[in-house]
Amino acid sequence: MAASLDDDLELDNQDYYSLLNVRKEATQDELKASYRRLCMLYHPDKHRDPELKQQAEQLFNQVHQAYEVLSDPQSRAIYDIFGKKGLEVEGWEVVERKRTPAEIREEYERLQRDRDERRLQQRTNPKGTISVGVDATDLFDRYDEDFEEMPGGGLPHVEINKMHISQSIEAPLTNKDTAVLSGSLSTHNGTGGGNINVVVRRVTSAKGWGEVEVGAGDILGPLFGVKVFRNLTARCFLTAQCGVQFSPRGMRPSCSLMTARHLDHNTMGYLQWRWGPNSAMTTSLVRDTKTTHCTLALQLGVLNSYLMMSYQYKFQDEDQTKVKGSLKTGWFGTVVEYGAERKISRHSVLSATVSMGIPQGVTLKIRLSRASQTYLFPIHLTDQLLPSAVFYATVGPLLLYVAVHRTVLLMQESVRRIIEGEESKMGLIILNAWYGKFVTDTSQKQERAQVIDVTVPLQCMVKDSKLCLTEASKVGLPGFYDPCVGEEKSLKLLYQFRGVLHQVLSADCEALRIPKQSHRIDAES
């Protein structure tokens, strides 16, 4: 039996038809019969020897994967044309099932182009930051007696007083050379400017690299700089940087030197010296473990000397929750910050930080990081240390997050109960629901389908194994038909009823009642 299983494992490199031992023109009944026979043969529970059981489990999974592909008409058509590679292309889940081989080939080519564009985007490593400063001091610092005589003085005045936008991309030139193009725009109280920088970086050896930077802007003028990085030992490295900024006030040279050393597996020590407009000497100690991140820094300078301590605790949960706090005191005053950070989706991290001190007052900083883009919203609440501003800056974001999180949990729990109830009686289960503009005409192959997932809200509307959608009920769902817009969109449903798959495509303003016998997939084919 061991030799037999070893021989069968080699079938993994063959096609799915050979794996199921059927001909390429096999019917669904022939596929199902062969699948059941092989499942009984390779079921892991039929083998007691650990090695044979492991081999049988691999074959069992391969057979199951092959049957899943060949039993689905759309996946089978894709596999027959492009093989396993075609099934790896993202985006097939929104493709219409009624497609000829030529249409499937065109759709595959379009999805392949989209994937190549995403790979190019990853290679260029685009990074961006958008910061929007909000002045909300009128909520706490206003004097009511001064506004009583002014028209509309009863409402506080909240405004956006500053904005900053920056973007950068990388362009690999050779295996050792990389060019980085970056630019930024800033405005504050109606005045501002921008700049653009070009950096060419070259890896000189396995121990170091160097780069040259050239920049220009309408505020400070041209910039020229050189930076060098070098690993001195296995635990120590050095970074040196010098530059010249040409401004209306003349030439302003600057220079900095930083050395760092690994003190132990989790601790780094830094020593930095800067000469120029902001000359200073800074030393810092950073300890980063699996659960904590601590920083202690001391800076001595002519204009800015401070002592800073920060602590961050990392919870070992799926959402990667972190709580942090810091204290910074120096010639400018004292600042205390505390906040939290949490992962809200696969590529998004949301954080909120309260900063209070003298003389800056109280500020709430909200930060959203999504993939390579960062969005910052510093909201300045008051110029003074007012307990009310500290309270609302702390409790406000917390209550908002709890309310949103609670709503999502309630919806997920409701959907779970509905699905369990429908499964117990072989009722209606919404497998996939897509809403938007589908591209079904091959003449529009260059146009991308724009759809959103509405599976959860539709499952919540299922009652007694039935779902009835009228034009009025569709309007109540997020993103559905707006009579003022009049865009031609459709709702595509894949659902299961009494163990049988059904599919339907409904126009925006059409009434829809499911389940229906005419929606059966086998009836369509």
Side-chain angles (χ1 to χ4, degrees), residues 32-74:
K32 186 179 296 185
S34 179
Y35 171 66
R36 290 179 176 177
R37 179 179 59 82
L38 293 175
C39 284
M40 295 177 61
L41 178 63
Y42 297 135
H43 199 284
D45 293 343
K46 292 183 175 291
H47 307 279
R48 295 184 178 180
D49 184 82
E51 184 177 355
L52 293 178
K53 188 171 185 177
Q54 183 179 2
Q55 295 176 1
E57 186 176 358
Q58 294 179 15
L59 285 169
F60 184 83
N61 293 333
Q62 293 170 16
V63 169
H64 179 69
Q65 181 182 7
Y67 179 72
E68 278 190 339
V69 172
L70 299 183
S71 61
D72 179 65
Q74 181 194 25

mmCIF file of all heavy atoms in Angstrom, residues 32-74:
data_model
loop_
_atom_site.group_PDB
_atom_site.id
_atom_site.type_symbol
_atom_site.label_atom_id
_atom_site.label_comp_id
_atom_site.label_asym_id
_atom_site.label_seq_id
_atom_site.Cartn_x
_atom_site.Cartn_y
_atom_site.Cartn_z
ATOM 1 N N LYS A 32 -18.684 13.026 -10.281
ATOM 2 C CA LYS A 32 -19.126 12.773 -8.922
ATOM 3 C C LYS A 32 -18.858 11.321 -8.516
ATOM 4 O O LYS A 32 -18.413 11.049 -7.383
ATOM 5 C CB LYS A 32 -20.614 13.096 -8.790
ATOM 6 C CG LYS A 32 -21.148 12.997 -7.370
ATOM 7 C CD LYS A 32 -22.624 13.347 -7.319
ATOM 8 C CE LYS A 32 -22.862 14.796 -7.706
ATOM 9 N NZ LYS A 32 -24.291 15.182 -7.542
ATOM 10 N N ALA A 33 -19.122 10.364 -9.416
ATOM 11 C CA ALA A 33 -18.907 8.949 -9.092
ATOM 12 C C ALA A 33 -17.420 8.671 -8.839
ATOM 13 O O ALA A 33 -17.050 7.976 -7.883
ATOM 14 C CB ALA A 33 -19.439 8.076 -10.222
ATOM 15 N N SER A 34 -16.556 9.222 -9.700
ATOM 16 C CA SER A 34 -15.118 9.008 -9.510
ATOM 17 C C SER A 34 -14.626 9.686 -8.235
ATOM 18 O O SER A 34 -13.769 9.140 -7.518
ATOM 19 C CB SER A 34 -14.357 9.542 -10.720
ATOM 20 O OG SER A 34 -12.970 9.368 -10.559
ATOM 21 N N TYR A 35 -15.152 10.860 -7.945
ATOM 22 C CA TYR A 35 -14.744 11.590 -6.738
ATOM 23 C C TYR A 35 -15.100 10.803 -5.475
ATOM 24 O O TYR A 35 -14.289 10.677 -4.551
ATOM 25 C CB TYR A 35 -15.411 12.957 -6.739
ATOM 26 C CG TYR A 35 -15.252 13.725 -5.455
ATOM 27 C CD1 TYR A 35 -14.008 14.181 -5.034
ATOM 28 C CD2 TYR A 35 -16.364 14.004 -4.645
ATOM 29 C CE1 TYR A 35 -13.866 14.885 -3.849
ATOM 30 C CE2 TYR A 35 -16.228 14.707 -3.460
ATOM 31 C CZ TYR A 35 -14.977 15.148 -3.074
ATOM 32 O OH TYR A 35 -14.837 15.847 -1.904
ATOM 33 N N ARG A 36 -16.309 10.248 -5.417
ATOM 34 C CA ARG A 36 -16.721 9.472 -4.247
ATOM 35 C C ARG A 36 -15.870 8.222 -4.085
ATOM 36 O O ARG A 36 -15.489 7.852 -2.966
ATOM 37 C CB ARG A 36 -18.197 9.101 -4.385
ATOM 38 C CG ARG A 36 -19.141 10.302 -4.238
ATOM 39 C CD ARG A 36 -20.581 9.883 -4.415
ATOM 40 N NE ARG A 36 -21.487 11.007 -4.186
ATOM 41 C CZ ARG A 36 -22.815 10.934 -4.340
ATOM 42 N NH1 ARG A 36 -23.366 9.777 -4.730
ATOM 43 N NH2 ARG A 36 -23.561 11.998 -4.124
ATOM 44 N N ARG A 37 -15.545 7.567 -5.187
ATOM 45 C CA ARG A 37 -14.737 6.342 -5.108
ATOM 46 C C ARG A 37 -13.335 6.648 -4.591
ATOM 47 O O ARG A 37 -12.810 5.952 -3.721
ATOM 48 C CB ARG A 37 -14.660 5.691 -6.497
ATOM 49 C CG ARG A 37 -13.817 4.424 -6.540
ATOM 50 C CD ARG A 37 -13.823 3.841 -7.938
ATOM 51 N NE ARG A 37 -13.313 4.786 -8.908
ATOM 52 C CZ ARG A 37 -12.012 4.998 -9.138
ATOM 53 N NH1 ARG A 37 -11.112 4.324 -8.449
ATOM 54 N NH2 ARG A 37 -11.638 5.859 -10.042
ATOM 55 N N LEU A 38 -12.740 7.728 -5.092
ATOM 56 C CA LEU A 38 -11.389 8.084 -4.654
ATOM 57 C C LEU A 38 -11.372 8.588 -3.215
ATOM 58 O O LEU A 38 -10.399 8.375 -2.486
ATOM 59 C CB LEU A 38 -10.797 9.145 -5.588
ATOM 60 C CG LEU A 38 -10.505 8.670 -7.020
ATOM 61 C CD1 LEU A 38 -10.041 9.843 -7.891
ATOM 62 C CD2 LEU A 38 -9.442 7.576 -7.014
ATOM 63 N N CYS A 39 -12.426 9.281 -2.785
ATOM 64 C CA CYS A 39 -12.500 9.736 -1.400
ATOM 65 C C CYS A 39 -12.535 8.555 -0.437
ATOM 66 O O CYS A 39 -11.911 8.594 0.639
ATOM 67 C CB CYS A 39 -13.732 10.619 -1.200
ATOM 68 S SG CYS A 39 -13.540 12.282 -1.867
ATOM 69 N N MET A 40 -13.276 7.511 -0.815
ATOM 70 C CA MET A 40 -13.311 6.317 0.029
ATOM 71 C C MET A 40 -11.959 5.616 0.052
ATOM 72 O O MET A 40 -11.534 5.071 1.078
ATOM 73 C CB MET A 40 -14.396 5.350 -0.475
ATOM 74 C CG MET A 40 -15.817 5.892 -0.354
ATOM 75 S SD MET A 40 -17.045 4.762 -1.029
ATOM 76 C CE MET A 40 -16.792 3.340 0.035
ATOM 77 N N LEU A 41 -11.236 5.658 -1.069
ATOM 78 C CA LEU A 41 -9.951 4.981 -1.154
ATOM 79 C C LEU A 41 -8.871 5.711 -0.366
ATOM 80 O O LEU A 41 -8.056 5.086 0.319
ATOM 81 C CB LEU A 41 -9.534 4.860 -2.624
ATOM 82 C CG LEU A 41 -8.175 4.202 -2.901
ATOM 83 C CD1 LEU A 41 -8.158 2.750 -2.434
ATOM 84 C CD2 LEU A 41 -7.847 4.300 -4.397
ATOM 85 N N TYR A 42 -8.879 7.054 -0.431
ATOM 86 C CA TYR A 42 -7.806 7.846 0.171
ATOM 87 C C TYR A 42 -8.193 8.484 1.501
ATOM 88 O O TYR A 42 -7.468 9.341 1.988
ATOM 89 C CB TYR A 42 -7.362 8.957 -0.789
ATOM 90 C CG TYR A 42 -6.783 8.447 -2.076
ATOM 91 C CD1 TYR A 42 -7.155 9.017 -3.295
ATOM 92 C CD2 TYR A 42 -5.855 7.405 -2.094
ATOM 93 C CE1 TYR A 42 -6.621 8.570 -4.487
ATOM 94 C CE2 TYR A 42 -5.325 6.943 -3.282
ATOM 95 C CZ TYR A 42 -5.714 7.521 -4.480
ATOM 96 O OH TYR A 42 -5.181 7.076 -5.648
ATOM 97 N N HIS A 43 -9.322 8.126 2.063
ATOM 98 C CA HIS A 43 -9.718 8.774 3.315
ATOM 99 C C HIS A 43 -8.691 8.448 4.413
ATOM 100 O O HIS A 43 -8.324 7.279 4.622
ATOM 101 C CB HIS A 43 -11.107 8.288 3.749
ATOM 102 C CG HIS A 43 -11.756 9.213 4.726
ATOM 103 N ND1 HIS A 43 -11.395 9.268 6.053
ATOM 104 C CD2 HIS A 43 -12.734 10.145 4.554
ATOM 105 C CE1 HIS A 43 -12.120 10.182 6.673
ATOM 106 N NE2 HIS A 43 -12.941 10.732 5.783
ATOM 107 N N PRO A 44 -8.187 9.480 5.119
ATOM 108 C CA PRO A 44 -7.125 9.241 6.124
ATOM 109 C C PRO A 44 -7.524 8.274 7.228
ATOM 110 O O PRO A 44 -6.663 7.580 7.785
ATOM 111 C CB PRO A 44 -6.867 10.643 6.693
ATOM 112 C CG PRO A 44 -7.332 11.585 5.622
ATOM 113 C CD PRO A 44 -8.489 10.901 4.964
ATOM 114 N N ASP A 45 -8.807 8.193 7.569
ATOM 115 C CA ASP A 45 -9.237 7.330 8.661
ATOM 116 C C ASP A 45 -9.089 5.850 8.338
ATOM 117 O O ASP A 45 -9.169 4.999 9.237
ATOM 118 C CB ASP A 45 -10.692 7.631 9.023
ATOM 119 C CG ASP A 45 -10.843 9.020 9.627
ATOM 120 O OD1 ASP A 45 -9.816 9.592 10.048
ATOM 121 O OD2 ASP A 45 -11.975 9.541 9.651
ATOM 122 N N LYS A 46 -8.854 5.513 7.066
ATOM 123 C CA LYS A 46 -8.724 4.110 6.683
ATOM 124 C C LYS A 46 -7.293 3.589 6.859
ATOM 125 O O LYS A 46 -7.009 2.436 6.569
ATOM 126 C CB LYS A 46 -9.157 3.927 5.219
ATOM 127 C CG LYS A 46 -10.641 4.144 4.992
ATOM 128 C CD LYS A 46 -11.001 3.879 3.539
ATOM 129 C CE LYS A 46 -12.511 3.978 3.341
ATOM 130 N NZ LYS A 46 -13.211 2.868 4.005
ATOM 131 N N HIS A 47 -6.389 4.460 7.300
ATOM 132 C CA HIS A 47 -4.989 4.063 7.435
ATOM 133 C C HIS A 47 -4.521 4.327 8.862
ATOM 134 O O HIS A 47 -4.722 5.406 9.406
ATOM 135 C CB HIS A 47 -4.107 4.846 6.443
ATOM 136 C CG HIS A 47 -4.581 4.760 5.024
ATOM 137 N ND1 HIS A 47 -4.309 3.691 4.208
ATOM 138 C CD2 HIS A 47 -5.356 5.622 4.294
ATOM 139 C CE1 HIS A 47 -4.860 3.893 3.028
ATOM 140 N NE2 HIS A 47 -5.507 5.067 3.053
ATOM 141 N N ARG A 48 -3.897 3.325 9.467
ATOM 142 C CA ARG A 48 -3.409 3.446 10.843
ATOM 143 C C ARG A 48 -1.946 3.849 10.898
ATOM 144 O O ARG A 48 -1.524 4.508 11.833
ATOM 145 C CB ARG A 48 -3.618 2.125 11.575
ATOM 146 C CG ARG A 48 -5.096 1.748 11.743
ATOM 147 C CD ARG A 48 -5.233 0.480 12.568
ATOM 148 N NE ARG A 48 -6.639 0.144 12.777
ATOM 149 C CZ ARG A 48 -7.050 -0.910 13.469
ATOM 150 N NH1 ARG A 48 -6.142 -1.735 14.022
ATOM 151 N NH2 ARG A 48 -8.344 -1.146 13.608
ATOM 152 N N ASP A 49 -1.167 3.417 9.906
ATOM 153 C CA ASP A 49 0.246 3.787 9.892
ATOM 154 C C ASP A 49 0.368 5.306 9.715
ATOM 155 O O ASP A 49 -0.235 5.878 8.807
ATOM 156 C CB ASP A 49 0.954 3.066 8.746
ATOM 157 C CG ASP A 49 2.453 3.355 8.744
ATOM 158 O OD1 ASP A 49 3.194 2.705 9.499
ATOM 159 O OD2 ASP A 49 2.864 4.269 7.990
ATOM 160 N N PRO A 50 1.145 6.008 10.568
ATOM 161 C CA PRO A 50 1.243 7.478 10.483
ATOM 162 C C PRO A 50 1.718 7.970 9.128
ATOM 163 O O PRO A 50 1.208 8.957 8.600
ATOM 164 C CB PRO A 50 2.234 7.840 11.598
ATOM 165 C CG PRO A 50 2.153 6.687 12.566
ATOM 166 C CD PRO A 50 1.892 5.476 11.720
ATOM 167 N N GLU A 51 2.704 7.293 8.539
ATOM 168 C CA GLU A 51 3.227 7.729 7.247
ATOM 169 C C GLU A 51 2.194 7.549 6.142
ATOM 170 O O GLU A 51 1.977 8.441 5.305
ATOM 171 C CB GLU A 51 4.503 6.952 6.922
ATOM 172 C CG GLU A 51 5.161 7.416 5.627
ATOM 173 C CD GLU A 51 6.469 6.694 5.360
ATOM 174 O OE1 GLU A 51 6.895 5.907 6.249
ATOM 175 O OE2 GLU A 51 7.053 6.903 4.283
ATOM 176 N N LEU A 52 1.522 6.380 6.150
ATOM 177 C CA LEU A 52 0.485 6.140 5.143
ATOM 178 C C LEU A 52 -0.686 7.107 5.329
ATOM 179 O O LEU A 52 -1.283 7.572 4.354
ATOM 180 C CB LEU A 52 -0.001 4.693 5.236
ATOM 181 C CG LEU A 52 1.013 3.608 4.852
ATOM 182 C CD1 LEU A 52 0.395 2.237 5.037
ATOM 183 C CD2 LEU A 52 1.473 3.801 3.408
ATOM 184 N N LYS A 53 -1.004 7.406 6.570
ATOM 185 C CA LYS A 53 -2.107 8.331 6.842
ATOM 186 C C LYS A 53 -1.801 9.726 6.314
ATOM 187 O O LYS A 53 -2.669 10.399 5.755
ATOM 188 C CB LYS A 53 -2.378 8.372 8.347
ATOM 189 C CG LYS A 53 -3.634 9.152 8.713
ATOM 190 C CD LYS A 53 -3.952 8.967 10.190
ATOM 191 C CE LYS A 53 -5.276 9.647 10.518
ATOM 192 N NZ LYS A 53 -5.669 9.429 11.931
ATOM 193 N N GLN A 54 -0.546 10.157 6.466
ATOM 194 C CA GLN A 54 -0.167 11.481 5.973
ATOM 195 C C GLN A 54 -0.225 11.532 4.444
ATOM 196 O O GLN A 54 -0.703 12.512 3.863
ATOM 197 C CB GLN A 54 1.238 11.825 6.457
ATOM 198 C CG GLN A 54 1.694 13.222 6.048
ATOM 199 C CD GLN A 54 3.088 13.536 6.560
ATOM 200 O OE1 GLN A 54 3.722 12.683 7.185
ATOM 201 N NE2 GLN A 54 3.559 14.744 6.310
ATOM 202 N N GLN A 55 0.257 10.482 3.792
ATOM 203 C CA GLN A 55 0.200 10.434 2.338
ATOM 204 C C GLN A 55 -1.243 10.395 1.844
ATOM 205 O O GLN A 55 -1.601 11.047 0.858
ATOM 206 C CB GLN A 55 0.973 9.224 1.831
ATOM 207 C CG GLN A 55 2.472 9.286 2.109
ATOM 208 C CD GLN A 55 3.189 8.027 1.668
ATOM 209 O OE1 GLN A 55 2.564 7.099 1.140
ATOM 210 N NE2 GLN A 55 4.500 7.975 1.879
ATOM 211 N N ALA A 56 -2.076 9.611 2.528
ATOM 212 C CA ALA A 56 -3.482 9.528 2.131
ATOM 213 C C ALA A 56 -4.178 10.873 2.292
ATOM 214 O O ALA A 56 -5.023 11.253 1.466
ATOM 215 C CB ALA A 56 -4.187 8.455 2.965
ATOM 216 N N GLU A 57 -3.815 11.612 3.343
ATOM 217 C CA GLU A 57 -4.424 12.928 3.557
ATOM 218 C C GLU A 57 -4.053 13.896 2.434
ATOM 219 O O GLU A 57 -4.884 14.681 1.985
ATOM 220 C CB GLU A 57 -3.975 13.484 4.905
ATOM 221 C CG GLU A 57 -4.667 14.789 5.273
ATOM 222 C CD GLU A 57 -4.273 15.263 6.654
ATOM 223 O OE1 GLU A 57 -3.501 14.549 7.326
ATOM 224 O OE2 GLU A 57 -4.740 16.337 7.052
ATOM 225 N N GLN A 58 -2.804 13.825 1.955
ATOM 226 C CA GLN A 58 -2.401 14.676 0.840
ATOM 227 C C GLN A 58 -3.183 14.343 -0.417
ATOM 228 O O GLN A 58 -3.673 15.231 -1.130
ATOM 229 C CB GLN A 58 -0.897 14.516 0.589
ATOM 230 C CG GLN A 58 -0.020 15.023 1.725
ATOM 231 C CD GLN A 58 1.459 14.821 1.429
ATOM 232 O OE1 GLN A 58 1.846 14.559 0.292
ATOM 233 N NE2 GLN A 58 2.281 14.915 2.461
ATOM 234 N N LEU A 59 -3.315 13.051 -0.708
ATOM 235 C CA LEU A 59 -4.079 12.641 -1.894
ATOM 236 C C LEU A 59 -5.549 13.014 -1.764
ATOM 237 O O LEU A 59 -6.193 13.421 -2.731
ATOM 238 C CB LEU A 59 -3.933 11.127 -2.099
ATOM 239 C CG LEU A 59 -2.585 10.662 -2.653
ATOM 240 C CD1 LEU A 59 -2.458 9.157 -2.547
ATOM 241 C CD2 LEU A 59 -2.440 11.114 -4.096
ATOM 242 N N PHE A 60 -6.085 12.875 -0.566
ATOM 243 C CA PHE A 60 -7.486 13.227 -0.329
ATOM 244 C C PHE A 60 -7.718 14.713 -0.626
ATOM 245 O O PHE A 60 -8.708 15.086 -1.278
ATOM 246 C CB PHE A 60 -7.850 12.896 1.119
ATOM 247 C CG PHE A 60 -9.294 13.129 1.457
ATOM 248 C CD1 PHE A 60 -10.251 12.172 1.152
ATOM 249 C CD2 PHE A 60 -9.702 14.302 2.073
ATOM 250 C CE1 PHE A 60 -11.598 12.390 1.461
ATOM 251 C CE2 PHE A 60 -11.025 14.529 2.381
ATOM 252 C CZ PHE A 60 -11.979 13.566 2.079
ATOM 253 N N ASN A 61 -6.803 15.562 -0.183
ATOM 254 C CA ASN A 61 -6.938 17.000 -0.427
ATOM 255 C C ASN A 61 -6.776 17.335 -1.906
ATOM 256 O O ASN A 61 -7.464 18.216 -2.438
ATOM 257 C CB ASN A 61 -5.901 17.768 0.394
ATOM 258 C CG ASN A 61 -6.158 17.673 1.883
ATOM 259 O OD1 ASN A 61 -7.299 17.487 2.318
ATOM 260 N ND2 ASN A 61 -5.104 17.793 2.684
ATOM 261 N N GLN A 62 -5.876 16.634 -2.600
ATOM 262 C CA GLN A 62 -5.691 16.881 -4.033
ATOM 263 C C GLN A 62 -6.930 16.487 -4.824
ATOM 264 O O GLN A 62 -7.351 17.202 -5.738
ATOM 265 C CB GLN A 62 -4.470 16.100 -4.523
ATOM 266 C CG GLN A 62 -3.153 16.587 -3.956
ATOM 267 C CD GLN A 62 -2.007 15.654 -4.276
ATOM 268 O OE1 GLN A 62 -2.120 14.794 -5.152
ATOM 269 N NE2 GLN A 62 -0.896 15.808 -3.569
ATOM 270 N N VAL A 63 -7.519 15.368 -4.471
ATOM 271 C CA VAL A 63 -8.732 14.928 -5.157
ATOM 272 C C VAL A 63 -9.873 15.910 -4.907
ATOM 273 O O VAL A 63 -10.636 16.256 -5.815
ATOM 274 C CB VAL A 63 -9.112 13.505 -4.693
ATOM 275 C CG1 VAL A 63 -10.508 13.134 -5.175
ATOM 276 C CG2 VAL A 63 -8.089 12.493 -5.207
ATOM 277 N N HIS A 64 -9.977 16.383 -3.674
ATOM 278 C CA HIS A 64 -11.039 17.346 -3.343
ATOM 279 C C HIS A 64 -10.849 18.649 -4.128
ATOM 280 O O HIS A 64 -11.817 19.215 -4.647
ATOM 281 C CB HIS A 64 -11.022 17.631 -1.844
ATOM 282 C CG HIS A 64 -12.053 18.620 -1.408
ATOM 283 N ND1 HIS A 64 -13.410 18.336 -1.422
ATOM 284 C CD2 HIS A 64 -11.932 19.908 -0.970
ATOM 285 C CE1 HIS A 64 -14.082 19.399 -0.996
ATOM 286 N NE2 HIS A 64 -13.208 20.370 -0.723
ATOM 287 N N GLN A 65 -9.610 19.101 -4.245
ATOM 288 C CA GLN A 65 -9.341 20.322 -4.994
ATOM 289 C C GLN A 65 -9.681 20.143 -6.471
ATOM 290 O O GLN A 65 -10.270 21.035 -7.101
ATOM 291 C CB GLN A 65 -7.871 20.711 -4.834
ATOM 292 C CG GLN A 65 -7.497 22.000 -5.561
ATOM 293 C CD GLN A 65 -6.030 22.341 -5.417
ATOM 294 O OE1 GLN A 65 -5.263 21.545 -4.874
ATOM 295 N NE2 GLN A 65 -5.638 23.500 -5.893
ATOM 296 N N ALA A 66 -9.306 19.025 -7.042
ATOM 297 C CA ALA A 66 -9.602 18.760 -8.448
ATOM 298 C C ALA A 66 -11.105 18.722 -8.696
ATOM 299 O O ALA A 66 -11.603 19.268 -9.688
ATOM 300 C CB ALA A 66 -8.956 17.442 -8.876
ATOM 301 N N TYR A 67 -11.850 18.091 -7.777
ATOM 302 C CA TYR A 67 -13.303 18.008 -7.961
ATOM 303 C C TYR A 67 -13.962 19.377 -7.831
ATOM 304 O O TYR A 67 -14.914 19.685 -8.561
ATOM 305 C CB TYR A 67 -13.890 17.031 -6.944
ATOM 306 C CG TYR A 67 -15.395 16.904 -7.049
ATOM 307 C CD1 TYR A 67 -15.982 16.228 -8.121
ATOM 308 C CD2 TYR A 67 -16.232 17.470 -6.090
ATOM 309 C CE1 TYR A 67 -17.356 16.121 -8.228
ATOM 310 C CE2 TYR A 67 -17.609 17.366 -6.194
ATOM 311 C CZ TYR A 67 -18.164 16.690 -7.259
ATOM 312 O OH TYR A 67 -19.524 16.597 -7.371
ATOM 313 N N GLU A 68 -13.487 20.197 -6.905
ATOM 314 C CA GLU A 68 -14.043 21.539 -6.747
ATOM 315 C C GLU A 68 -13.908 22.354 -8.029
ATOM 316 O O GLU A 68 -14.807 23.110 -8.394
ATOM 317 C CB GLU A 68 -13.351 22.271 -5.594
ATOM 318 C CG GLU A 68 -13.891 21.931 -4.228
ATOM 319 C CD GLU A 68 -13.341 22.858 -3.160
ATOM 320 O OE1 GLU A 68 -12.284 23.476 -3.403
ATOM 321 O OE2 GLU A 68 -13.960 22.969 -2.091
ATOM 322 N N VAL A 69 -12.789 22.202 -8.719
ATOM 323 C CA VAL A 69 -12.563 22.957 -9.955
ATOM 324 C C VAL A 69 -13.409 22.407 -11.092
ATOM 325 O O VAL A 69 -14.108 23.142 -11.798
ATOM 326 C CB VAL A 69 -11.071 22.938 -10.325
ATOM 327 C CG1 VAL A 69 -10.853 23.564 -11.707
ATOM 328 C CG2 VAL A 69 -10.257 23.684 -9.276
ATOM 329 N N LEU A 70 -13.381 21.096 -11.297
ATOM 330 C CA LEU A 70 -14.056 20.509 -12.453
ATOM 331 C C LEU A 70 -15.568 20.447 -12.287
ATOM 332 O O LEU A 70 -16.296 20.366 -13.286
ATOM 333 C CB LEU A 70 -13.503 19.105 -12.714
ATOM 334 C CG LEU A 70 -12.010 19.026 -13.042
ATOM 335 C CD1 LEU A 70 -11.608 17.592 -13.352
ATOM 336 C CD2 LEU A 70 -11.666 19.950 -14.204
ATOM 337 N N SER A 71 -16.064 20.457 -11.051
ATOM 338 C CA SER A 71 -17.518 20.409 -10.857
ATOM 339 C C SER A 71 -18.166 21.769 -11.068
ATOM 340 O O SER A 71 -19.386 21.850 -11.215
ATOM 341 C CB SER A 71 -17.839 19.902 -9.444
ATOM 342 O OG SER A 71 -17.293 20.780 -8.462
ATOM 343 N N ASP A 72 -17.384 22.834 -11.081
ATOM 344 C CA ASP A 72 -17.921 24.172 -11.336
ATOM 345 C C ASP A 72 -17.727 24.500 -12.819
ATOM 346 O O ASP A 72 -16.592 24.521 -13.311
ATOM 347 C CB ASP A 72 -17.194 25.207 -10.479
ATOM 348 C CG ASP A 72 -17.715 26.608 -10.730
ATOM 349 O OD1 ASP A 72 -18.880 26.869 -10.415
ATOM 350 O OD2 ASP A 72 -16.941 27.442 -11.258
ATOM 351 N N PRO A 73 -18.811 24.750 -13.585
ATOM 352 C CA PRO A 73 -18.684 24.963 -15.039
ATOM 353 C C PRO A 73 -17.744 26.109 -15.395
ATOM 354 O O PRO A 73 -16.965 26.004 -16.349
ATOM 355 C CB PRO A 73 -20.120 25.259 -15.477
ATOM 356 C CG PRO A 73 -20.991 24.638 -14.424
ATOM 357 C CD PRO A 73 -20.221 24.773 -13.152
ATOM 358 N N GLN A 74 -17.793 27.207 -14.631
ATOM 359 C CA GLN A 74 -16.946 28.352 -14.941
ATOM 360 C C GLN A 74 -15.475 28.023 -14.683
ATOM 361 O O GLN A 74 -14.610 28.269 -15.527
ATOM 362 C CB GLN A 74 -17.367 29.548 -14.108
ATOM 363 C CG GLN A 74 -16.542 30.796 -14.375
ATOM 364 C CD GLN A 74 -16.739 31.844 -13.314
ATOM 365 O OE1 GLN A 74 -17.097 31.512 -12.188
ATOM 366 N NE2 GLN A 74 -16.489 33.092 -13.656
#
